[in-house]
Amino acid sequence: MKKANLISIVNSYTSLSTELMEFYLKYYSISIKDDELKDLCILVEELKSYDIRTKQNFYDGFFLGYTIPQIGKEFDLLRIGEDHIINIEIKRTASEGKIYRQLSRNKYYLSFLKKKVHSYTFITDQKKLYRLDDFDSLAEVNLKELYGILKNQKEAEVGSLNNLFNPSDYLVSPFNSTNQFILGKYFLTTHQEAIKEELIRLSSQKAFSLFSIKGKAGTGKTLLTYDIVKHFNTEQISTLIVHCGILNDGHWELKNEHKWNIIAAKQIPNFDFSSYRVIVIDECQRIYPDQLHSIINAVRKNNGTIIFSYDAQQYLRNWESTNNISKLLEEDLTVKTYELTTKIRTNKEIASFIKCLFDKSELHERQDFSNVYINYFKNFEDSKAYVNSQLENGWKAINYTPSTRAILPYEDHKIASELDNSHTVIGQEFDNVIAVIDQHFFYQDDRLYYRVNSYYNPRQMLFQIVTRTRKKLKLVIVNNPEILEHCLSIVKN
C-alpha cells in the first residue's frame, strides 16, 4: 500500500469518472466505499478551515483503509511519524461506547509499533471529534487539536507497512500466556468474534446441541475455544473442558488458580457429566469413539451443549487417523461447524515451508524464508551439542515422545534437559522452535515418511513440533542428505 495525499484523493473523487477513480485508488491499493469517500471529504473540508494556506504536506503521508494481514483489523486513516502515530477513524454516526471500543482496540494493535499513539474518531453527521487519551478515557475535543498534531508531526520513512505488523504478536496463548489470557489482554479477529457471538447465542437455547470449531495449526482455534469457555465461566454457566491429551502447565494454572473445570480424556470413564451445562472437547480428533459417544449420550439426557474443537491433521498415533473422528462429526452427527481458515499465529513463509517439507508436490508463492534456518550434522553428538547451545539463545527444542514399548532411533537425539515432547506441547506455541530430522525420514511418492515402525507416528510428531512455531523455525538435519537437498530446494526456489 502506498501513502496518499488526502486532498489528492478528495479532488480525484469529485472530478474524475468512476472508472478512472477506481483505477487511481487501485494504484494506491486503497479499497474504500463511496459513502466513506464522502465522509473523508467532510473531514478534509473541516481541517482546511484551520489550514488557511492549504499546505500540501499537511495532508500527505496517509495510509487509507489499511488492514493488518491475517488479522483483518482495518484502520480508516493512519499516519506514521518519527515519534508518534496518528489514527483517525471516520464514522457517519456512532455511540460513544462504540467509539471507545474501536479506538481501544486500534490502540492495542498500534502499540506494538513502540510509538506514542494519537487515536481519534470524527463523526461526520455532527462534525464532532473524539480522542482516546493516555489514560484510555474518551473525550470530545476541538478539531484544532488534531490539526496541531498533524501539522507538527514529522513523517517517518515507511517501506512496506505490512513489515511493521507481525500478526503473531496479537495472539496470546491460554497455555503459554495464561495471565494475559485471563486478564483479556488480546482481541479476537472479526471472524472469531462472529463465530463466538453466534455460538453463544445458539447454545443459550437450552436444548441439546452440538457445535464444532475446526481449524488447522495457527488459525487461532485454541484461543477462540478457550475464550468462549471464559465467557461461559464469567456468566456462571457450568462448563467442563475435556482435553484429549496430557494436561500442560497452562491447564493446571487455569484449574488451580482460576478454578476452571478441566479433565484429561483418560478420566472420562465413570465421570459424572450431569452437573455441566456445556462440555468442550478440546483436540477432539484424538478421542476414542466410545468415549465420544458416552459423552454425547450423557449430555443429551441433560439437554446440554457440546463444543468440539479439532484439527484432523494433528494426530500422533495411526489409529487416531483411522478412527476419523472428523468424519464422524461432519457427516454422521448433526453438528453445526465453524471453520477457521486464515492462519494467524504462523508466519506465512513458515506455513508454506512446512507444507513443502511434508509434501514435495506442494507449490508455494515466492518467499525469502528468512525465518527458516537449516543446519546439517553428520552425527548426533554434534547435533545435540548444537541444539543445547541454542537453548541458551531463546530457542525451544521439542523432543519426540518416547515409546513405552521399545527404544526407537529418534531417542538418540533426545535433549535430556528438555522435558517437553510432541504430546506435552499440544495446543501450545513458541516463538522460536528447533526440530530435529534424523536419517530415518525419507520421501516416497513425494510424501514424507519414517522407516521405523513406531507406536507414535514420527512423521506426525514432527508435524506437531514444527507447527508450534510462531516466528522462527530451525531444522537440525542429521545424516540425511535427501532431506537436506529438498529443504534447500524449498528455500532457494
Side-chain angles (χ1 to χ4, degrees):
M1 172 174 275
K2 291 180 171 63
K3 298 177 182 178
N5 182 286
L6 296 186
I7 290 184
S8 174
I9 296 297
V10 169
N11 284 177
S12 303
Y13 173 65
T14 57
S15 62
L16 297 179
S17 66
T18 301
E19 292 75 17
L20 186 54
M21 181 60 185
E22 290 176 354
F23 199 18
Y24 186 55
L25 291 174
K26 190 175 181 180
Y27 165 74
Y28 286 101
S29 299
I30 294 173
S31 177
I32 188 169
K33 298 175 182 177
D34 188 72
D35 285 346
E36 293 171 333
L37 282 168
K38 291 178 180 176
D39 290 337
L40 177 63
C41 291
I42 296 173
L43 173 63
V44 170
E45 285 303 312
E46 289 298 305
L47 287 172
K48 284 170 68 175
S49 67
Y50 293 96
D51 188 36
I52 301 173
R53 298 180 182 179
T54 316
K55 297 178 180 178
Q56 288 294 323
N57 62 343
F58 172 84
Y59 302 95
D60 215 19
F62 281 90
F63 294 98
L64 277 71
Y66 173 73
T67 301
I68 300 176
Q70 299 169 249
I71 295 291
K73 182 71 192 79
E74 183 179 353
F75 304 90
D76 289 347
L77 294 177
L78 274 183
R79 199 165 187 252
I80 313 295
E82 293 180 356
D83 301 317
H84 58 266
I85 299 166
I86 299 172
N87 168 220
I88 308 170
E89 296 299 313
I90 309 173
K91 303 296 176 190
R92 184 69 54 85
T93 182
S95 67
E96 291 191 4
K98 188 173 182 179
I99 293 169
Y100 175 79
R101 288 191 294 272
Q102 182 180 37
L103 291 184
S104 296
R105 179 171 293 204
N106 289 8
K107 188 175 181 180
Y108 167 78
Y109 287 112
L110 294 171
S111 67
F112 285 87
L113 302 188
K114 306 301 182 185
K115 296 183 179 184
K116 182 178 176 63
V117 179
H118 295 284
S119 305
Y120 293 93
T121 294
F122 181 67
I123 305 298
T124 59
D125 272 1
Q126 300 171 308
K127 296 183 180 179
K128 288 184 176 181
L129 183 69
Y130 292 87
R131 178 194 66 199
L132 187 69
D133 65 21
D134 294 338
F135 303 100
D136 290 337
S137 296
L138 188 70
E140 184 181 346
V141 295
N142 194 291
L143 204 65
K144 189 174 182 180
E145 176 184 307
L146 175 59
Y147 165 75
I149 291 177
L150 287 169
K151 184 179 69 172
N152 294 321
Q153 186 183 41
K154 292 183 179 179
E155 188 182 339
E157 288 298 324
V158 179
S160 171
L161 197 55
N162 288 348
N163 292 337
L164 298 180
F165 294 90
N166 186 347
S168 63
D169 286 336
Y170 307 118
L171 283 182
V172 303
S173 166
F175 310 138
N176 302 98
S177 314
T178 308
N179 190 51
Q180 285 180 280
F181 169 73
I182 289 296
L183 293 175
K185 293 185 176 181
Y186 63 92
F187 288 104
L188 301 179
T189 66
T190 303
H191 186 206
Q192 289 172 319
E193 286 279 12
I195 292 173
K196 174 184 175 180
E197 290 175 8
E198 182 173 325
L199 196 152
I200 289 172
R201 177 177 59 80
L202 293 176
S203 64
S204 67
Q205 297 175 1
K206 296 184 179 180
F208 174 63
S209 53
L210 304 175
F211 305 96
S212 70
I213 300 172
K214 60 183 290 189
K216 296 179 181 179
T219 56
K221 168 177 56 66
T222 300
L223 177 60
L224 173 60
T225 301
Y226 280 70
D227 179 79
I228 290 171
V229 174
K230 186 168 72 169
H231 169 84
F232 287 140
N233 287 341
T234 302
E235 295 298 314
Q236 298 185 329
I237 298 170
S238 55
T239 304
L240 172 72
I241 296 175
V242 179
H243 179 69
C244 300
I246 301 170
L247 299 189
N248 58 49
D249 290 345
H251 284 123
W252 288 109
E253 184 174 344
L254 290 170
K255 278 172 63 71
N256 296 334
E257 296 187 24
H258 304 287
K259 309 307 178 186
W260 282 37
N261 300 307
I262 306 174
I263 65 169
K266 64 181 181 181
Q267 297 174 256
I268 291 174
N270 303 318
F271 189 88
D272 182 9
F273 295 95
S274 62
S275 60
Y276 297 99
R277 174 75 183 81
V278 178
I279 309 292
V280 175
I281 307 180
D282 188 25
E283 302 293 339
C284 188
Q285 75 277 1
R286 305 187 63 235
I287 199 170
Y288 287 103
D290 60 330
Q291 292 177 325
L292 179 65
H293 286 297
S294 69
I295 294 176
I296 291 174
N297 290 335
V299 175
R300 181 184 283 112
K301 293 178 182 178
N302 301 322
N303 285 327
T305 294
I306 304 178
I307 300 172
F308 309 102
S309 178
Y310 67 97
D311 172 6
Q313 292 186 353
Q314 296 281 355
Y315 65 90
L316 294 173
R317 287 176 283 191
N318 290 329
W319 65 259
E320 293 172 358
S321 176
T322 304
N323 284 339
N324 205 351
I325 294 298
S326 61
K327 179 179 180 297
L328 177 65
L329 295 178
E330 294 166 17
E331 299 179 13
D332 299 343
L333 296 171
T334 304
V335 180
K336 183 169 180 57
T337 300
Y338 302 93
E339 183 172 9
L340 296 167
T341 55
T342 303
K343 286 183 178 289
I344 303 168
R345 185 188 71 216
T346 309
N347 287 346
K348 282 188 176 181
E349 63 176 280
I350 291 176
S352 177
F353 180 86
I354 291 171
K355 287 176 66 176
C356 295
L357 173 63
F358 283 82
D359 189 343
K360 295 176 75 172
S361 67
E362 284 285 352
L363 301 175
H364 64 79
E365 300 176 4
R366 185 174 294 277
Q367 305 268 5
D368 63 4
F369 292 108
S370 59
N371 291 304
V372 176
Y373 303 83
I374 300 170
N375 298 270
Y376 187 83
F377 295 92
K378 184 179 179 180
N379 55 66
F380 290 131
E381 182 181 358
D382 290 334
S383 68
K384 288 172 72 173
Y386 175 74
V387 172
N388 277 307
S389 72
Q390 296 306 294
L391 299 181
E392 301 173 2
N393 298 325
W395 287 84
K396 174 70 174 180
I398 303 171
N399 289 315
Y400 292 74
T401 305
S403 172
T404 58
R405 305 182 179 190
I407 297 177
L408 295 166
Y410 58 72
E411 294 184 47
D412 289 338
H413 53 76
K414 177 182 178 181
I415 303 301
S417 62
E418 179 53 70
L419 301 180
D420 275 327
N421 58 50
S422 55
H423 278 69
T424 62
V425 298
I426 290 173
Q428 299 188 66
E429 57 190 51
F430 307 93
D431 284 347
N432 308 317
V433 172
I434 296 179
V436 179
I437 301 178
D438 66 27
Q439 69 270 33
H440 297 287
F441 283 95
F442 70 100
Y443 288 103
Q444 181 175 307
D445 298 328
D446 288 337
R447 296 268 294 168
L448 187 66
Y449 292 96
Y450 199 75
R451 288 189 175 89
V452 181
N453 290 328
S454 171
Y455 182 65
Y456 301 121
N457 188 318
R459 180 193 66 212
Q460 291 304 122
M461 286 193 284
L462 175 62
F463 185 70
Q464 178 71 223
I465 291 168
V466 296
T467 55
R468 299 305 93 205
T469 308
R470 293 179 71 216
K471 295 181 179 180
K472 296 180 180 180
L473 173 64
K474 181 171 290 190
L475 295 186
V476 174
I477 302 170
V478 184
N479 195 24
N480 197 326
E482 179 188 13
I483 300 297
L484 174 64
E485 182 178 8
H486 179 56
C487 288
L488 293 175
S489 71
I490 297 172
V491 299
K492 288 298 181 182
N493 282 343

